Amino acid sequence: MISNVRPLKPAYDEPFKLEMVEPLEMPTPVQAPALPRPLATPEVKPEAAAPQRSQPARQIEPQPPSTSSLPASPAAAPAPAQQASATPAEPVAPSKPAEPTQPAPVAAKPNIDGEYIGRIRSYLNSIKRYPSGREASQLRPEGTVKIWFVLRRDGSLVDSGIEQSSNSILLDEAARKTVGRATFPGFPEQFMADQETHRFSVDLQFRPAN
């Protein structure tokens, strides 16, 4: 019975074959998602400080002198900070040099010459008369006569004449008659003090009545 059993061959008798095993692929490492960048914090600018209103300097009323012989308490004196004004002192502009004073104008002397001549002119114009008669009523001349005349210091008439005619015989004759019947005032004391007589000329205007 035992003879029929075939001996087993050892397993190592078979040739050993080496097989190449492909390297295992390593799994790709999973990258962590990128974290979002932190938002930029806006720069906060300091707000401009509101301008402080300057307070007017406190006026310190003068204290009546103390009757006590003791020295005043140091606390009574105003603090330097309270006396100073809140606003800086403005620069004082340089004072302008004083302008030289001008002497007061001397009062003008009264114009005696002009006043006297004006009186004579007004007087002659007040007594002049427009020529009358048939010829004057028909022609009705109109114009100005410049007449001259010489007076003494007492106002008496020395001579007269026509300096500038009005181109009308009637008007020129009326001007002569006006001077001839006039009663002139005497010269003032200061009027032409070195002259005994003086020559005048006056314009007399004649217009016919409406």
Side-chain angles (χ1 to χ4, degrees):
M1 291 286 297
I2 296 171
S3 60
N4 290 335
V5 179
R6 296 178 64 183
L8 294 177
K9 294 182 179 182
Y12 56 83
D13 293 340
E14 295 180 1
F16 181 78
K17 294 181 181 180
L18 295 177
E19 294 182 0
M20 297 296 294
V21 179
E22 294 181 2
L24 297 177
E25 294 183 1
M26 299 296 294
T28 304
V30 179
Q31 297 181 358
L35 297 176
R37 295 182 178 180
L39 297 178
T41 305
E43 183 180 357
V44 179
K45 296 183 179 180
E47 296 182 356
Q52 298 181 357
R53 297 184 179 178
S54 60
Q55 298 180 356
R58 297 178 55 188
Q59 297 182 357
I60 301 174
E61 298 182 356
Q63 299 292 337
S66 177
T67 57
S68 175
S69 60
L70 295 178
S73 176
Q82 295 179 355
Q83 295 180 356
S85 175
T87 56
E90 298 181 355
V92 180
S95 59
K96 296 182 180 179
E99 298 181 357
T101 57
Q102 298 181 357
V106 180
K109 296 181 179 180
N111 188 4
I112 299 176
D113 297 355
E115 291 179 0
Y116 180 69
I117 295 173
R119 286 173 55 191
I120 292 178
R121 184 182 297 109
S122 300
Y123 170 66
L124 291 177
N125 278 280
S126 65
I127 66 172
K128 69 183 177 182
R129 295 176 184 175
Y130 189 80
S132 59
R134 183 177 179 182
E135 185 179 3
S137 61
Q138 290 178 354
L139 298 177
R140 297 175 62 83
E142 180 180 354
T144 301
V145 182
K146 189 171 188 178
I147 190 169
W148 64 268
F149 51 94
V150 179
L151 300 179
R152 295 186 181 93
R153 295 198 65 84
D154 58 358
S156 58
L157 180 64
V158 177
D159 196 5
S160 64
I162 302 299
E163 185 172 333
Q164 185 175 354
S165 175
S166 63
N167 298 326
S168 171
I169 299 175
L170 297 175
L171 297 182
D172 292 350
E173 186 63 25
R176 287 193 184 93
K177 290 180 180 180
T178 301
V179 174
R181 66 171 173 269
T183 303
F184 297 100
F187 294 179
E189 184 178 357
Q190 298 179 359
F191 178 78
M192 304 296 175
D194 57 343
Q195 298 180 10
E196 291 297 327
T197 60
H198 186 70
R199 184 179 185 273
F200 300 86
S201 60
V202 176
D203 293 340
L204 299 177
Q205 189 176 11
F206 294 91
R207 290 182 180 179
N210 296 332

